[in-house]
Each structure stands twice: as C-alpha cells, then as structure tokens.
Amino acid sequence: MNQNIEEENYKEKYEESLSIEVTTRCNSACSHCFVRAAISECSDLSIDLVREIISEGYHLGYRRLHITGGEPLLWEGLFETLDYAFSLGYKKILINTNGTLMTEDFVNRCSGCHGLSISVSLEGPESFHDRIRGQYSYKRAVLGIEKALDAGIDLYIFATVSKSLLPVLPYFVDEIYKRFPGIKCLTLIQLIRVKDDLFDLSNEVLDPEDFLKLVRMVSLLNLYGHRTEILNNPLAVVVSKLFEMPLIPRVLPLHRNGHLIVMADRNIALSHSTRNSFGKYELGMIDKVLSSNEYRITVAPDEIACPSCVYTKLCNENGMIHPSEWYRDMYPEVPFCKRVLDKASS
C-alpha cells in the first residue's frame, strides 16, 4: 500500500515542471513585472547551485524543467545547464524570454536540443508592447520569434491581459496566428498586482465583468481555430461551463502537488508570483519542502472559504480547489471568483 502511494506521488511530480529563476536581471523594465517587486538589487544563482537543484529534482522524479528570470538569456550558465539537464534525463525544458536576445547563434544552438521549447512575451500590438517593454522591443521580439520558428523550435507566445488590451485582444490574437502560424499556442496571463510592486496598476486589473468578456473571447477564438489558453486560472473553465461555451482548454490550478520554484535569492515558493517562502534552498530542501505539512496544506483543497460556497461542486469538477487570490483585482473582502460566478449566473 505504501509503495503504491509513493509511486502515485512520483507520477504527480513527474508531470510537473521544476521551476528555477536563474536571475532577476533583465534588459526590459515592464511596469507589471512582479519579479522586480520588493527587490533592492538583482540576484543570480550560480551554475553549480543550479546543477545541484536540477540533480535533486531529477532524483525526486521531476522530468520537466522550467527556466525563467528576469531574462534567462542574460545568465551565463544557460547552455551548460541545458546540456546537464538533458544528460541527466530531463525530457522537456521550457525557457521564458522576452525574445529580444534570441540571436541567430542562440536559436541554432537551441535547435539541437530535443525537448526544448521557448515562450516569448508579447504584450499586444506593437504600440501596446513598446509602451510596456520599451521602444523597438516589439520588433526585436518578433525577429527572435521568426528565427526560432525558422529553426524548428517549439515556440509559445505569452501575453498579459490588462483592461486596456481586452478590447483589441481578438484582433491581436488573429494577427499573431496570421503572422506566426507555426506557434504551439498563445497563452494569456491575467494581469495581477503583488505586494510592493513598483507601479500602481489598479486601473488595469480586470474586474468581474472584464473577466467574463475574456472567457467569451477565448472560447470564440478557440472555436475559430486559434488555440488560446489561460494560465493557472481554472476559474475560466468554470465560467465557460456556466456559459455553455466549453472551449477553454484545460487549465491547471496554481495550487497543485509538485508545483514549486527556486528563486534567484534561493527562496523556495509555490510559484513565481507568490512571496510566501517555504525556506532557502540548500541540498535536500526540495524534498523537505514537498514532504512538509505546510506545503501539503498549501496545495490541498481549501477548507475555509470554499466548502460554504454555492459553486463548490462546479469548481471542484473543473480543477478550481482554491478561491481566487486576493491580488486578482485588489478587492479581498469577497473573493474574485465568487463575484465573477455570481455575475455569470445572473
């Protein structure tokens, strides 16, 4: 019996990615970046420490790796790390990048890595993107995307959805697929705020009505054949079921077993956007965190707000086992998900 339980846990970890923030250095200065919040100076993990983290993760059952930043292409150990991880037996590695540093040499070296995929951030049409990430950054990112696709690299595009982007989102997605028909998927990320963020973006976060519009748009975009996902937000799936527009691809929740990240300051957290640390990384710490009662409670279904909610059954059936995080629209008194579902049901 214990052996079966251990094998099942191993399987769950195998399906997850071990995330590592190798640096907080970046050549962009995005207004919505949660990495820059509450840090006074940039941090880098050493190559040796990253190898240690990767090795520990592999022996715990991880076979997927997620390398992020900051801008990981600024980190000198990137290709050494890729070679090491694949030689250990990792099957898939995803690199997040802003795309501006994807030179011909970079994509040629990446093209020889079987199992490697890259996500590039585009924040909307060129004027939107450059306003957020800097002048000419859109053209540089697009050149990087074109080089990567020409080299046969699996490529995803990530976009942060703000209130300003929402009205032009369908046109943006359509243009992306016309220009880059070879991408694997377009992934949308709901704009959030975090503690100690550098800019007050309260006027740009989505309210419940905005979120319902987003779900309708994404359903119709998928119906049209433009594969569009919403990252770590199963509330979208719940809403689509209420609307009887079930064309939202499966969405994994933020709280799930095996999900964690080692940050550039060595703090271990559930995800990149959270600030609650399970402790500083040292050898054996990943195993210690995954086995801890604190972590188990964090990824287990909510037992405080959800059981008394009228939408609990529908949410649980569609992977939403926690109420929406308070930072969805900075209104913690009533969970964002409850207000969204009330509006969707009315």
Side-chain angles (χ1 to χ4, degrees):
M1 183 68 171
N2 288 337
Q3 182 179 0
N4 290 337
I5 293 173
E6 184 177 340
E7 288 175 354
E8 182 61 26
N9 287 338
Y10 229 64
K11 181 181 178 182
E12 290 180 7
K13 294 173 190 176
Y14 179 89
E15 292 174 349
E16 281 297 326
S17 293
L18 173 62
S19 295
I20 306 175
E21 180 190 58
V22 293
T23 182
T24 56
R25 289 183 293 122
C26 191
N27 60 331
S28 293
C30 306
S31 56
H32 62 267
C33 181
F34 45 72
V35 175
R36 298 166 62 206
I39 63 170
S40 56
E41 59 184 26
C42 293
S43 304
D44 290 85
L45 294 176
S46 70
I47 298 173
D48 288 342
L49 186 59
V50 170
R51 286 168 67 103
E52 188 176 285
I53 294 166
I54 289 171
S55 179
E56 181 179 347
Y58 180 81
H59 289 103
L60 287 170
Y62 287 97
R63 297 296 182 270
R64 302 184 184 194
L65 190 63
H66 171 214
I67 298 176
T68 188
E71 174 48 61
L73 273 62
L74 291 172
W75 186 66
E76 64 180 9
L78 184 59
F79 282 105
E80 183 178 332
T81 296
L82 294 178
D83 290 341
Y84 180 69
F86 281 126
S87 70
L88 271 181
Y90 279 86
K91 304 300 183 186
K92 293 183 180 295
I93 301 178
L94 171 68
I95 300 173
N96 292 135
T97 176
N98 60 35
T100 62
L101 302 176
M102 292 170 60
T103 62
E104 202 77 46
D105 178 63
F106 172 82
V107 298
N108 286 339
R109 294 178 72 179
C110 287
S111 65
C113 298
H114 178 70
L116 178 67
S117 57
I118 295 174
S119 71
V120 176
S121 298
L122 290 179
E123 306 301 345
E126 185 170 358
S127 60
F128 277 66
H129 183 91
D130 284 357
R131 186 169 69 241
I132 293 170
R133 291 184 173 265
Q135 191 175 20
Y136 307 125
S137 59
Y138 182 87
K139 286 185 172 65
R140 293 169 65 195
V142 163
L143 284 174
I145 292 169
E146 290 172 344
K147 289 186 180 82
L149 290 173
D150 288 345
I153 296 170
D154 288 347
L155 192 131
Y156 300 79
I157 291 178
F158 282 16
T160 302
V161 182
S162 62
K163 192 181 285 284
S164 293
L165 179 62
L166 199 60
V168 299
L169 182 62
Y171 309 101
F172 167 63
V173 175
D174 191 47
E175 282 302 309
I176 288 295
Y177 274 99
K178 286 177 179 175
R179 187 163 191 175
F180 310 116
I183 65 171
K184 293 296 181 182
C185 181
L186 177 72
T187 298
L188 303 178
I189 305 169
Q190 183 182 350
L191 176 69
I192 61 172
R193 292 194 60 195
V194 296
K195 185 180 179 182
D196 300 321
D197 49 7
L198 297 180
F199 299 94
D200 184 353
L201 297 174
S202 300
N203 293 332
E204 284 293 337
V205 295
L206 304 185
D207 61 32
E209 184 60 43
D210 293 329
F211 191 81
L212 298 184
K213 292 177 183 176
L214 175 63
V215 173
R216 292 187 185 99
M217 288 180 189
V218 173
S219 290
L220 292 173
L221 286 166
N222 280 293
L223 178 64
Y224 190 65
H226 293 340
R227 182 169 176 81
T228 309
E229 298 180 346
I230 300 177
L231 186 69
N232 290 342
N233 201 342
L235 177 60
V237 181
V238 180
V239 171
S240 73
K241 295 298 173 64
L242 283 174
F243 282 167
E244 297 184 352
M245 299 177 71
L247 292 171
I248 304 289
R250 176 173 174 255
V251 179
L252 293 174
L254 193 65
H255 301 79
R256 58 189 193 269
N257 192 32
H259 189 49
L260 58 73
I261 183 171
V262 181
M263 312 289 272
D265 60 4
R266 295 194 301 112
N267 276 304
I268 301 177
L270 182 68
S271 74
H272 211 179
S273 59
T274 61
R275 288 290 178 265
N276 296 328
S277 175
F278 296 109
K280 293 276 190 177
Y281 178 79
E282 58 183 16
L283 186 60
M285 192 62 180
I286 297 175
D287 188 22
K288 184 177 179 181
V289 168
L290 293 173
S291 303
S292 70
N293 192 50
E294 181 184 5
Y295 182 82
R296 287 171 178 160
I297 292 172
T298 300
V299 299
D302 173 73
E303 295 181 353
I304 299 174
C306 292
S308 61
C309 179
V310 296
Y311 304 107
T312 297
K313 185 175 183 295
L314 181 63
C315 288
N316 287 343
E317 289 172 350
N318 292 284
M320 187 157 185
I321 60 173
H322 276 255
S324 295
E325 300 82 4
W326 64 271
Y327 45 69
R328 290 292 171 187
D329 69 345
M330 309 297 288
Y331 186 89
E333 288 79 7
V334 180
F336 181 75
C337 51
K338 177 66 163 57
R339 287 178 287 120
V340 166
L341 293 175
D342 281 345
K343 188 170 283 291
S345 300
S346 63

